[in-house]
């Protein structure tokens, strides 16, 4: 049973709506705990967002009880990278948290970027 706060967040959250199928997405992977889809505004030839099905706001909102979810996020990254052919060439995985990191969607998401040679800077 969701708490009232959790229910409110879930009702308003675009990524919760994508997970539930209320909003469309280009799904690339799903298991019991996580859902992955193509970023609507890709910054690389491969740009996937991997999200927990449970609403978690950002890295600061993760708790020890979410360890299975985190395991699944990284398992999903491995499987998607292999499936989309970028496991060998390499890829970048990024969590943005808060204003300085330019987080815009407040449902935790792991960016998986690849398919091109990226620059060495992580902050530019
Ligand atoms: P961040 O800046 O880390 O919060 O990244 C949010 C990402 O979500 C951006 O790369 C957006 O392009 C992407 N995004 C926003 N809305 C959607 C959507 N409806 N479907 C797919 N990706 C989205
Ligand atoms: Zn959400």
């Amino acid at each position: 049973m969701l708490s009232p706060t959790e229910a409110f967040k879930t009702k308003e959250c675009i990524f919760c709506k994508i997970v539930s199928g209320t909003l469309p997405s280009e799904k690339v992977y799903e298991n019991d705990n996580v859902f992955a889809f193509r970023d609507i505004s890709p910054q690389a030839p491969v740009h996937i967002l991997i999200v927990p099905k449970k609403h978690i706001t950002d890295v600061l909102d993760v708790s020890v009880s979410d360890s299975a979810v985190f395991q699944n996020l990284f398992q999903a990254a491995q499987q998607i990278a292999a499936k989309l052919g970028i496991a060998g060439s390499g890829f970048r995985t990024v969590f943005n948290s808060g204003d300085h990191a330019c987080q815009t969607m407040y449902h935790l998401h792991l960016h998986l970027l690849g398919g091109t040679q990226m620059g060495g800077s992580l902050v530019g």
Side-chain angles (χ1 to χ4, degrees), residues 54-99:
K54 170 188 173 188
H55 183 93
I56 297 173
T57 305
D58 58 19
V59 167
L60 293 172
D61 191 31
V62 174
S63 71
V64 174
S65 61
D66 296 321
S67 61
V69 172
F70 257 71
Q71 214 173 3
N72 277 260
L73 284 175
F74 286 100
Q75 274 172 358
Q78 292 171 345
Q79 292 189 23
I80 294 164
K83 182 173 159 183
L84 300 184
I86 57 168
S89 50
F91 54 91
R92 185 166 283 164
T93 41
V94 178
F95 289 107
N96 288 322
S97 281
D99 290 345

Side-chain angles (χ1 to χ4, degrees), residues 14-15 18 23-25 37-43 47 49 94-96 101-106 109 111:
I14 285 173
F15 285 0
I18 286 176
L23 280 180
S25 71
F37 51 98
R38 290 191 188 274
D39 195 293
I40 203 166
S41 179
Q43 295 186 37
H47 187 173
L49 301 175
V94 178
F95 289 107
N96 288 322
C102 301
Q103 183 179 8
T104 57
M105 301 302 288
Y106 282 82
H109 48 283
H111 292 263

